[in-house]
C-alpha cells in the first residue's frame, strides 16, 4: 500500500475478536509498519527453516511457518488479517494505473506543444 494513503478501517460491530484486534493494530501502527513486521516474521521463519535444512533434520511436510513460536504465529495471523481487512489492492492498482495514464497524457501534451512551436 502507498505510504501516503490512509488504510480503510472498516466498521467493527459483529466481527470476530481477532479481526477487531487486527484492525486496531493497523489503526495504531499504520499499514506500512504492519507490512514491515509481517515481512520480518516471514524472514525470521525462513531463516530458521534454512538453518535446520542445512542439517537435514526437517520432518516431511514442514514449512518455514512450522519454525515460528506460538506467539509469533499469533502475531503473524493478526498482522495478516489487518493487512487483508484494511487494504484494497484492486483500488490501489486502479489508482496507480490512473496516475500512469495521467503522466502519459501530460507527456504527450508536452511533446505536442514542443512540436507545434
Amino acid at each position: 500500500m502507498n505510504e501516503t494513503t490512509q488504510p480503510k478501517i472498516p466498521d467493527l460491530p459483529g466481527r470476530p475478536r481477532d479481526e477487531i484486534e487486527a484492525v486496531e493494530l493497523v489503526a495504531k501502527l499504520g499499514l506500512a509498519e504492519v507490512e514491515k513486521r509481517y515481512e520480518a516474521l516471514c524472514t525470521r521463519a525462513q531463516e530458521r527453516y534454512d538453518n535446520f535444512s542445512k542439517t537435514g533434520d526437517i520432518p516431511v511436510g514442514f514449512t518455514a511457518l512450522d519454525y515460528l513460536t506460538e506467539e509469533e504465529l499469533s502475531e503473524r495471523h493478526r498482522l495478516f488479517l489487518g493487512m487483508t481487512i484494511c487494504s484494497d489492492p484492486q483500488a490501489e492498482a486502479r489508482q496507480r494505473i490512473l496516475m500512469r495514464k495521467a503522466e502519459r497524457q501530460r507527456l504527450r501534451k508536452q511533446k505536442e506543444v514542443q512540436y507545434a512551436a
Side-chain angles (χ1 to χ4, degrees), residues 10 12 14 19 23 29 54-55 63 65 76 82-83 85 91 98 101-102 108 116-117:
L12 300 177
E19 289 184 11
V23 170
L29 299 176
K54 290 176 186 175
T55 63
T63 67
L65 296 180
R76 182 186 177 277
M83 290 186 311
I85 294 169
L98 290 173
K101 183 179 176 183
R108 189 176 312 121

Side-chain angles (χ1 to χ4, degrees), residues 13-79:
R15 290 202 180 255
R17 179 175 213 70
D18 57 347
E19 289 184 11
I20 293 171
E21 291 173 0
V23 170
E24 289 172 348
L25 185 65
V26 172
K28 178 182 173 185
L29 299 176
L31 196 54
E33 179 64 23
V34 167
E35 289 172 347
K36 181 179 167 185
R37 288 182 181 200
Y38 179 82
E39 288 300 320
L41 274 174
C42 292
T43 300
R44 188 177 317 143
Q46 188 62 47
E47 287 171 354
R48 290 176 187 165
Y49 178 85
D50 292 342
N51 285 339
F52 278 100
S53 68
K54 290 176 186 175
T55 63
D57 294 336
I58 298 178
V60 174
F62 264 42
T63 67
L65 296 180
D66 292 305
Y67 291 95
L68 291 176
T69 65
E70 287 298 321
E71 293 81 21
E72 290 169 331
L73 282 170
S74 178
E75 181 181 3
R76 182 186 177 277
H77 176 69
R78 267 194 320 278
L79 294 170

